[in-house]
Each structure stands twice: as C-alpha cells, then as structure tokens.
C-alpha cells in the first residue's frame, strides 16, 4: 500500500554456489527475505545450513551467484568493489565469533580502525573510541593488546568497533559461541541495548536460547528459509556518524599503519633492509669514486693545455719510405699559419747511473721549448737552452722520480755528473713533480735531454718519435689541423702518420671515463635490484601471513585502494629507510676511500638524490605486485584464513 515503509534489506531469489561444473556446490537456494530498519533479527540454523554465507552476502563481504539484494533502496549488484567497501565502512558493523581483532594493535586502535578508513580526524576518532570503550565497561583497557584481554573483553572491543562509524546495521556472527554463559549473556545484553537504540541487528546463531533475545527469529535449513516469523514495526534509525573521507588524511594514517606493521617484525624488516642498504651504498660510493676518477683524469689531461696537436709516424710501416718523421717535417709545420712552434721529440730507453744508484728509465730528446709546450717547469736548477741543443751538449734534466732514485735523501743533484747508457751527462735541473697520468703511468719517471744530444750520443739518428704542434688561436684548431695534414701529405706523398689534437683527446677521455662511471653505477645498481627483489619476496610472504588481517581491514571498510596503499607504503618505507642508510654508508665508504687510499671522491648532489630516489622507487616497483595481490583478495576467504 502507498504508505508502507520499504524494508531496509530486501532479498529476492538469492543463491550462492561455490565451484564450477560438476564440482559446484549450491549453499543458498533462492532466499527471499525482508528486514525492516530497526529490527533485531536472529537467523537460526545448524552448522552448514548457509546462515554465515547469508550474513556475508548481507554484509557485502560476498556476492550472490544469482538473485537480487537491495539495501536502503540501492541495488547492490551494481556497486563496484570500492563502493561496497564504503558501504561496509559507513553502514555496517561486524561482530565475529572469533573477534577478528588485529593482534598488533591496542584495543583503542582496533576500535578506531573503521573511522580511520572513513577519514575521521585523529582527535575525533580517539575521543569517540574512548567513549565507546567506557560505555562497554573497558575503561582503563584501551592500551592493552588483544592477547592481554579475556574473550568477553575482546568481544566487547569488537562491538565497540562495529559501532565506531554509527553502524546502522550490526551483523553478529555467533557472537557468544566462544564465551562462557555469563559473558555471553552480557554480550547479548549489549546487542539488545544497541537494538533498542534503533539500529538494525542481525544475529547469526545456532543456539535457540540466544535467538529468543531477538524480536524475530528466522530459521534456515539446507540453504533455504523455513520460517521467517513476523516482522516487527520499524523503528527510527539514527544517522551514521561518518567522517568526511579525505584521501590525504587517509593516506597519512595508512602510512602510520604501515610503520606500525613493520615495527612488529623488526628482525625481518632489518634483514630486508640489508639488500637495499648494500645496493644504495654501492651506487653512491661507485658514482662518487667514478666521478672523482673522471675528474682527476680530466684534470691531468688538461694540465698540459688543449692548444696543441700531436703528429706521430704510423707505426704499422716504419721501414717503408716515408714511414718516418724528421726535423725537416717539424720545421715545415713550425712555418704554418697559426702555429706558435713545433716541438720535436723522441723516446729512448736508458740506464742511469749516479754515485748512489743505478735505475732504468726513458730519455726524452726534445727542444728547449719543452717547458712552454708541456707547461712543465723545473723545481731545481734550470732547463737546457736552444744553444745547448745546437751544440749537442751532454746535459740532462731529471724527472722527480728519477732524481729521488738516483739521489735518495736531501741531496741536491744539480751540477752532479751521471751516466746515461755509460755516457757522461751533467744534471742541470730537476722537473717539478707531476704524478701519474690519466693511464696511471708515472710522468716523473723520465730524463729530458737536448734533441741533437740524443740523436748523436744515444740513438745515432734524427728520426722523430713525434711532433707536438702548439697553435696560437684554439678557435682555429680544426683549420690548423687540416693544414698540418695537408702539409705532411704533400711532403710524404702518402698517409704514413696520424694526427690527434688535445681537445679531441680530452673529449675522448671524457667519453671513456663517463662510460666507465656509468658501468660502475650499473654494476652497483644490480645489487640494488637484488635488494628490490628481496623486498618483493618479503612482501609476498607478508601478504600470505597477514591474509586474515587484510580480510579484517576489508570488513571494517578498507577499500582495495586502501589495502594497496597499506602494502605499498610498507614496501616504500622499507626501501626508503634502506636507501637513507645506504646513503650514509655510501658517504662513509667514499670518505674512507679518500682518506685511507688517497682516491679522489666527488659526491654530486644530483647523483646522491638520484640514488636515493631510485632506492625508494625500488619499493614502489617491486612492492606493487604483492600490494596488488593483497588488494585483490576476497574478503570472505581472507577472513577465513589462519
């Protein structure tokens, strides 16, 4: 009739089958059921009758195979998974036989859980939870964990949680089944009190004595309703106490929940961190050492300037005509435009003997332009002159390493006589120390002599090992290089030489060092990836171990997005903390290498930030699959997990 009040819950032809094909089992067979708002209803049946399956469908934890379920005028079949979670959060409250409290949370935190997913502010939900606990006689027990509470106290915490968001419909599945008779009676008194306030209470039980406390008893047997009783008159329903669900606020609370979850498994969390820590430290240390090495190499290569071109004979055919470089070639190149000078040179292995020692080294026969060309001055004494070169004077300038070997201690070698391949030479100077070159070769292990002296006294010919052409204007380097090539081709009538300019050499070195640095970083990144895989494995294990927890969170209103966020937050938190610890360790390794090994180390802010971001991102990448698996769990099956 027109004035009739529509039932709060209306079910028509509900069926529920499990399995498929020949193995399919139908638990519910065409259930028709109406429950008015404000009713206190008991659904009674033996174990296996289908009453718990019906409760799961009514509470939106499960879906019927066929039939219609309408709640408050809304067709439930059309709701998305997250919309069903929102309705569980705001309209339904569950009281389970096994309590289903999260063991890692306090009584207060368990009660707050539905309001957390509803987006209620922390202060408001804490105040509301304290009030509910006090109302249920649990004052002073708010900070105890479930293991520290009796069965009756845990069930009262469960009831408080069911009422947290207002819970216009309370679904109680065998709420007294695990309690003694006195405690069970107290719980039933609480449910009756809740029903008297106008809430709809649906009690699932096999105990007819308990069912008599309800206004109406519905009997179910073999998946069918065999007696529905007479519906009570509708009662006014108090509006649910909902919070404005703010995604940002919920996300913050989920992150806090993730931190608590990790804190409960400190040892496993610490072991999981190890892989990320090692990977992060390796990446940061390798990048710093690689960048430091690159910087050192480039500094050494640039120390001699970038304004010169090296011309060398082609070593593949030294015996053929033209396969040699001569002083005449050097003079021809020195006359070219934009050429400041062309410095000839030739290397020869020598044995040097002083009164104190004999050493093997190399003699570089060159011109008096050596200091200007190579930007290499003497630390003691002086360099030989052009007159010394023209006169083939037997004078020598020692490299720092050779001087130290021939004259150990504080002795001044300038003015002393030595033998080069048993030929007497006078030491007139010692070059300033330069250290190793970009290839690690000791540049100070040399002796420099006038070119003609080397040609007449050591080698016996004037062939050159190379010519170093210094240009006046580096902006015309390419033009000068082409002119040098053209001149030599005209003189030799064949390409029996090769040319390389210092700028090109430095660019090549830079590319090589960058590639090596990248290779080091990639090698180090492998350990970071291995650490990320470790995070994924641990998170998969965590999902398996915490399946029932996931089901509880879903039952109190957590959406798939909330569950996804929970486990992603845990993975990102692990990798983020691991990355931060790895950053500190990587900095320590780099500083230690610099102090103890003398390695040049350069920490670039961008590289450090990138390494930390990548380490944290590993949690996001490798944590997604476990988080997605957790979010896609079926609430009913998750709740049944051990």
């Amino acid at each position: 009739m027109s004035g009739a009040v529509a039932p709060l819950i209306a079910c028509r032809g509900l069926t529920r089958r499990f399995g498929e094909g020949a193995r399919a089992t139908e638990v519910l067979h065409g259930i028709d059921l109406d429950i008015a708002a404000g009713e206190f209803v008991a659904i009674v049946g033996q174990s296996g009758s289908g009453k718990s399956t019906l409760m799961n469908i009514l509470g939106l934890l499960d879906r019927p195979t066929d039939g219609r379920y309408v709640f408050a005028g809304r067709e439930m079949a059309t709701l998305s998974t997250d919309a069903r979670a929102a309705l569980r959060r705001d309209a339904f409250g569950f009281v389970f036989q096994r309590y289903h409290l999260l063991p890692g949370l306090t009584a207060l935190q368990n009660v707050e859980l539905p309001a957390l997913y509803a987006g209620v502010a922390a202060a408001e939900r804490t105040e509301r939870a304290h009030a509910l606990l006090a109302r249920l006689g649990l004052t002073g027990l708010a900070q105890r964990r479930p293991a520290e509470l009796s069965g009756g106290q845990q069930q009262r915490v469960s009831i408080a949680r069911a009422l947290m968001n207002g819970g216009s419909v309370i679904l109680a599945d065998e709420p007294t089944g695990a309690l003694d008779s006195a405690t069970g009676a107290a719980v039933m008194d609480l449910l009756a009190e809740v029903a008297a306030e106008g809430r709809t209470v649906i009690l699932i039980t096999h105990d007819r004595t308990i069912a008599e406390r309800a206004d109406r008893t519905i009997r179910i047997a073999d998946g069918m309703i065999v007696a529905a009783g007479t519906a009570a008159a509708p009662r006014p329903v108090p509006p649910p106490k909902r919070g404005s669900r703010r995604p940002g606020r919920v996300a913050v609370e989920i992150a806090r929940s993730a931190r608590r979850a990790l804190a409960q498994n400190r040892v496993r969390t610490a072991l999981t961190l190890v892989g990320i820590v090692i990977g992060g430290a390796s990446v940061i240390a390798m990048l710093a050492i690689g960048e430091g090495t690159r910087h050192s190499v480039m500094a050494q290569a640039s120390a001699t300037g970038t304004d010169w071109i090296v011309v060398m004979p082609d070593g593949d055919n030294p015996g053929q005509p033209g396969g040699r470089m001569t002083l005449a070639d050097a003079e021809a190149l020195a006359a070219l435009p934009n050429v400041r000078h062309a410095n000839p040179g030739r290397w020869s292995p020598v044995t040097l003997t002083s009164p104190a020692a004999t050493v093997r080294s190399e003699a570089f026969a060159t011109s008096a332009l050596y200091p200007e060309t190579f930007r290499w001055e003497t630390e003691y004494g002086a360099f030989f002159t052009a007159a010394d070169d023209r006169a083939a004077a037997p004078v020598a300038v020692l490299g720092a390493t050779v001087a130290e070997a021939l004259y150990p201690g504080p002795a001044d070698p300038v003015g002393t006589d030595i033998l080069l391949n048993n030929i007497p030479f006078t030491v007139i100077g010692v070059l300033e120390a330069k250290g190793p070159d970009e290839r690690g070769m000791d540049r100070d292990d040399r002796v420099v002599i006038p070119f003609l002296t080397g040609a007449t006294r050591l080698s016996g010919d004037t062939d050159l090992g190379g010519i170093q052409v210094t240009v006046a204007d580096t902006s015309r380097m390419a033009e000068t290089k082409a002119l040098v090539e053209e001149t030599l081709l005209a003189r030799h009538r064949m390409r029996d030489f090769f040319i390389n300019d210092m700028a090109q050499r430095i660019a090549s070195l830079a590319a090589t060092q960058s590639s090596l640095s990248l290779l080091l970083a990639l090698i180090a990144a492998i350990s970071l990836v291995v650490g990320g895989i470790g995070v994924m494995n641990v998170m998969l294990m965590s999902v398996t171990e915490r399946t029932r927890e996931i089901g509880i969170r879903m039952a109190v209103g957590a959406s798939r997005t909330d569950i996804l966020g929970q486990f992603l937050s845990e993975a990102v938190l692990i990798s983020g903390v691991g990355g931060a610890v790895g950053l500190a360790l990587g900095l320590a390794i780099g500083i230690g290498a610099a102090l103890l090994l003398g390695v040049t180390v350069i920490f670039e802010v961008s590289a450090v930030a990138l390494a930390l971001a990548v380490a944290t991102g590993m949690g996001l990448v490798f944590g997604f699959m476990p988080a997605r698996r957790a979010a896609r769990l079926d609430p009913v099956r998750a709740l049944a997990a051990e």
Side-chain angles (χ1 to χ4, degrees):
M1 67 192 188
S2 60
V5 178
L8 179 66
I9 292 173
C11 300
R12 297 292 180 268
L14 288 186
T15 64
R16 183 66 173 100
R17 286 188 298 274
F18 295 96
E20 296 181 1
R23 297 185 178 182
T25 302
E26 190 165 283
V27 177
L28 297 180
H29 313 287
I31 297 292
D32 292 329
L33 177 64
D34 289 338
I35 299 176
E39 273 199 280
F40 185 3
V41 176
I43 300 178
V44 181
Q46 297 299 317
S47 297
S49 62
K51 58 185 185 300
S52 293
T53 301
L54 178 58
M55 188 205 77
N56 290 333
I57 292 174
L58 296 180
L60 302 179
L61 293 172
D62 197 7
R63 293 175 182 266
T65 306
D66 295 303
R68 295 183 61 212
Y69 172 29
V70 178
F71 175 78
R74 298 174 67 186
E75 178 65 63
M76 296 295 99
T78 62
L79 297 184
S80 66
T81 300
D82 281 354
R84 292 165 67 86
L87 201 53
R88 286 197 301 271
R89 180 181 66 238
D90 296 330
F92 292 93
F94 293 89
V95 181
F96 299 100
Q97 177 182 357
R98 297 171 60 187
Y99 322 131
H100 283 329
L101 301 178
L102 297 183
L105 303 184
T106 63
L108 180 69
Q109 290 168 338
N110 269 286
V111 174
E112 286 183 331
L113 204 55
L116 182 153
Y117 292 118
V120 178
E124 181 183 347
R125 68 171 184 265
T126 298
E127 180 182 358
R128 192 186 301 174
H130 273 300
L132 286 169
L133 289 172
R135 173 186 171 185
L136 297 176
L138 297 173
T139 302
L141 302 179
Q143 297 307 317
R144 292 192 182 181
R145 299 186 186 278
E148 301 170 318
L149 301 173
S150 67
Q153 290 169 337
Q154 290 186 60
Q155 193 61 287
R156 278 183 281 168
V157 171
S158 177
I159 293 172
R161 182 181 63 189
L163 298 174
M164 186 62 187
N165 283 352
S168 58
V169 178
I170 304 298
L171 293 157
D173 186 11
E174 300 282 6
T176 63
L179 305 176
D180 58 71
S181 57
T183 305
V187 168
M188 287 306 302
D189 289 340
L190 286 173
L191 291 176
E193 182 181 337
V194 169
E197 294 174 352
R199 291 181 174 83
T200 303
V201 177
I202 302 174
L203 173 67
I204 306 297
T205 183
H206 67 278
D207 190 334
R208 296 194 178 190
T209 303
I210 295 296
E212 289 175 356
R213 299 289 301 273
D215 298 331
R216 177 163 63 117
T217 299
I218 300 171
R219 290 181 56 233
I220 185 170
D222 298 326
M224 295 181 291
I225 293 178
V226 296
T230 303
R235 298 168 179 166
V237 180
K241 297 179 181 178
R242 302 179 187 178
S244 57
R245 181 172 167 88
R246 300 178 182 177
R249 180 184 291 169
V250 175
V252 170
E253 294 300 334
I254 286 175
R256 289 176 179 170
S257 179
R259 178 179 56 79
R260 286 195 296 266
L262 293 176
Q264 291 168 21
N265 295 280
R266 289 185 176 88
V267 175
R268 186 170 67 186
T269 300
L271 292 175
T272 308
L273 285 174
V274 170
I276 297 295
V277 169
I278 293 175
S282 299
V283 169
I284 290 169
M286 288 297 187
L287 284 174
I289 293 173
E291 180 60 24
T293 302
R294 189 189 71 83
H295 186 271
S296 296
V297 168
M298 297 308 300
Q300 292 168 359
S302 300
T304 54
T306 58
D307 59 348
W308 44 272
I309 299 168
V310 176
V311 182
M312 300 185 71
D314 188 345
D316 291 340
N317 55 359
Q320 296 180 10
R324 48 197 292 265
M325 201 74 64
T326 66
L327 282 173
D329 290 329
E331 292 170 356
L333 296 182
L336 295 177
N338 195 40
V339 173
R340 186 180 299 152
H341 46 71
N343 190 53
R346 178 183 178 125
W347 288 97
S348 299
V350 293
T351 300
L352 298 97
T353 304
S354 73
T358 298
V359 298
R360 292 284 298 172
S361 185
E362 286 191 291
F364 185 53
T366 186
S367 74
L369 296 172
Y370 181 91
E372 180 183 353
T373 302
F374 290 93
R375 293 173 174 80
W376 202 338
E377 300 296 333
T378 56
E379 186 173 1
Y380 303 107
F383 205 80
F384 57 80
T385 64
D388 292 330
D389 188 11
R390 288 193 297 271
V395 295
V397 180
L398 306 180
T401 298
V402 174
E404 177 65 25
L406 292 176
Y407 298 92
D412 185 359
V414 176
T416 63
D417 291 328
I418 61 173
L419 298 177
L420 269 71
N421 291 349
N422 293 319
I423 300 172
F425 276 76
T426 300
V427 177
I428 62 172
V430 176
L431 294 170
E432 60 185 5
K434 288 285 190 178
D437 62 13
E438 66 273 9
R439 297 168 298 175
M441 305 296 291
D442 185 2
R443 291 183 291 177
D444 300 316
D445 186 9
R446 67 178 61 195
V447 56
V448 185
I449 60 177
F451 184 81
L452 289 180
T453 302
T456 58
R457 296 176 183 265
L458 294 181
S459 63
D461 65 63
T462 59
D463 284 353
L464 306 181
I467 304 171
Q468 186 160 311
V469 180
T470 304
V471 301
D473 183 0
T474 55
S475 66
R476 297 169 56 194
M477 178 69 77
E479 172 191 334
T480 305
K481 185 177 178 181
L483 191 56
V484 167
E485 182 177 15
E486 179 183 338
T487 301
L488 290 177
L489 283 174
R491 290 180 58 82
H492 293 199
R493 298 179 181 177
M494 63 183 299
R495 186 178 295 278
D496 59 345
F497 58 88
F498 62 89
I499 302 175
N500 190 18
D501 63 81
M502 193 58 185
Q504 181 182 21
R505 181 185 177 199
I506 290 176
S508 177
L509 282 173
T512 301
Q513 289 299 317
S514 296
S515 298
L516 289 175
S517 297
L518 179 60
L519 179 61
L520 288 175
L522 289 176
I523 292 173
I526 292 174
S527 59
L528 195 58
V529 172
V530 172
I533 294 173
V535 170
M536 180 175 67
N537 290 335
V538 169
M539 293 307 300
L540 285 171
M541 186 188 307
S542 180
V543 170
T544 301
E545 292 177 352
R546 295 161 59 190
T547 299
R548 190 161 67 92
E549 174 194 331
I550 296 168
I552 294 170
R553 292 182 181 275
M554 289 178 168
V556 300
S559 66
R560 283 186 171 181
T561 303
D562 296 332
I563 300 298
L564 184 73
Q566 167 87 29
F567 284 87
L568 269 183
S569 296
E570 293 180 21
V572 170
L573 190 57
I574 288 176
S575 56
V577 172
V581 176
L583 166 62
L585 181 59
L587 292 174
I589 291 173
I591 293 171
L595 295 177
L596 300 178
L597 304 178
V599 177
T600 302
V601 176
I602 296 178
F603 293 102
E604 292 189 335
V605 175
S606 58
V608 171
L610 178 62
L612 185 58
V614 170
T616 304
M618 286 294 170
L620 195 63
V621 172
F622 288 98
F624 181 77
M625 188 180 76
R628 183 172 178 268
R629 176 176 294 185
R632 295 173 68 88
L633 286 175
D634 179 79
V636 173
R637 294 182 180 179
L639 281 169
E642 294 297 333

